[in-house]
Amino acid sequence: MNKSYEDIQRYLKELQNALQGQSAGLVQDALYDVENHFLEVLANDKDASMATLIDAFGYPKEIAAQYIQLEEDSKRYLHGSESNKPIFNGFFESLTCFKDYKSLIYFFISLPLSVVYFGWVMLFGVPAFILSLVVVGLPFLALFLKTQNYLALIEGQLINALLGVRMPRRPGRITLSDSSKSFSWQGMRETLKSPHCWRVVLYSVLHLPLSATYFFAACVLFVGSLALMITPLVDPIIHAFVPNVTIDINWYWFPVTTVVGAIGVTLSMHITRLLVTLHSSIANYLLIQR
C-alpha cells in the first residue's frame, strides 16, 4: 500500500467526519468524487504530492461546506418552498399530497422491477457463487458483484425521484491500493471483500417479497377504492351498450361509493406513507456504502 493511497484515505476520513450529520447519500457521493479526483490527478502526474493537491483542491472542512451548500441549493431548486398548505387537513390531507402519489407509483413499478433483480441474482449470481467454490467462478462472481453497484445506483435514483429520499448519485467505491491492479486478482479480491456489494445482493433478494407486500397492502386497496367510486357511473353505461352485462352497483349508490372509495384511497395513502418509511430505512442501510 503506497503512501499516496494512505494520504487519500486519511483525507477521505476527515471529509467524512466533516460531513457528519448529513444524509448518507450525500456522503457517499462526496467521497466518490473526491477520491476519483485525487486518483486521476496522481495518475496523470506521478510527481504530484498530496500536500500540493490539497492546497489546490481545498481542505476537508472547506469541501464539506461546499457540498452541504450545494445540497441545500439543489433542494430549494427541485422542491421549492414547502409553505403551501394542503387543501384538506387531518385524515384526508394525503389526497392532495403529490408526494404520496409519487410514492404509490414507486410501489406499482417496484413489483416488476423486483422480478428483474431477483432473476439477475438467480440466473447469474447463484451460478457464479457455485462456480466460485472451485475457484474458476471467482471472476464471474466478482463481475456479478460489480454489477450490484450499478443496480444500487439505478434503484437509488428511483427511490430519490419517487420516494423523495436522498440516495447516492454515484456508484459505490471499491478502492484499490494500486489502481494498475484493477483487472488483476487484487481487483477481484477487493470486489469480493466489499460489504456494500453483498448488501446490495441481499437487497435484490429481499426486494421481491417486500415489493409484493407493498403492492397488495397499498396498490390493491388504491385501485379497488377507485373502482368502487366509478362503478356506479361506468356499469350503467356499459349495460346500455351491452345489455347482457349485469349492473353490479346502480347509479343511485354513487354518493355512498364515493365516500367509501375516498376513505379507501386515503387509507391506501396513509399505508403508503408507512411503507415509505419502512422501505427508506431498508434501502438506506443496504444500498448506501458505509
Side-chain angles (χ1 to χ4, degrees), residues 32 145-156 171-172 196 200:
Y32 181 91
L145 291 175
K146 274 276 193 182
T147 65
Q148 296 304 291
N149 269 330
Y150 298 98
L151 183 146
L153 184 62
I154 294 170
E155 177 68 11
H196 172 64
V200 179

Side-chain angles (χ1 to χ4, degrees), residues 196-250:
H196 172 64
C197 293
W198 289 104
R199 285 200 301 267
V200 179
V201 174
L202 177 60
Y203 180 88
S204 300
V205 174
L206 292 177
H207 198 266
L208 182 58
L210 286 174
S211 61
T213 303
Y214 302 155
F215 184 84
F216 287 107
C219 300
V220 171
L221 177 60
F222 179 83
V223 173
S225 299
L226 284 182
L228 180 65
M229 293 173 68
I230 65 174
T231 295
L233 298 178
V234 174
D235 264 18
I237 296 175
I238 296 177
H239 180 74
F241 289 96
V242 187
N244 59 337
V245 175
T246 59
I247 297 177
D248 296 320
I249 304 177
N250 280 300

Side-chain angles (χ1 to χ4, degrees), residues 89-95 100 104 107 217-218 221 262-277:
N89 286 317
F91 179 75
F92 290 102
E93 179 266 333
S94 60
L95 288 177
D100 291 338
L104 201 62
F107 292 138
L221 177 60
I263 293 173
V265 168
T266 308
L267 278 174
S268 71
M269 292 298 187
H270 285 289
I271 293 173
T272 297
R273 289 183 176 184
L274 294 175
L275 295 178
V276 166
T277 303

Side-chain angles (χ1 to χ4, degrees), residues 57-117:
F57 186 69
Y59 290 90
K61 289 185 178 179
E62 298 172 351
I63 301 302
Q66 293 177 18
Y67 269 97
I68 293 171
Q69 184 61 50
L70 181 62
E71 187 75 4
E72 293 176 353
D73 293 342
S74 299
K75 285 181 181 178
R76 276 196 297 270
Y77 177 77
L78 293 174
H79 305 293
S81 120
E82 298 182 356
S83 58
N84 294 332
K85 293 184 178 180
I87 298 175
F88 300 110
N89 286 317
F91 179 75
F92 290 102
E93 179 266 333
S94 60
L95 288 177
T96 58
C97 182
F98 182 63
K99 182 180 177 181
D100 291 338
Y101 289 100
K102 289 200 300 181
S103 301
L104 201 62
I105 292 173
Y106 172 81
F107 292 138
F108 269 109
I109 66 175
S110 66
L111 186 56
L113 276 177
S114 67
V115 176
V116 176
Y117 299 159

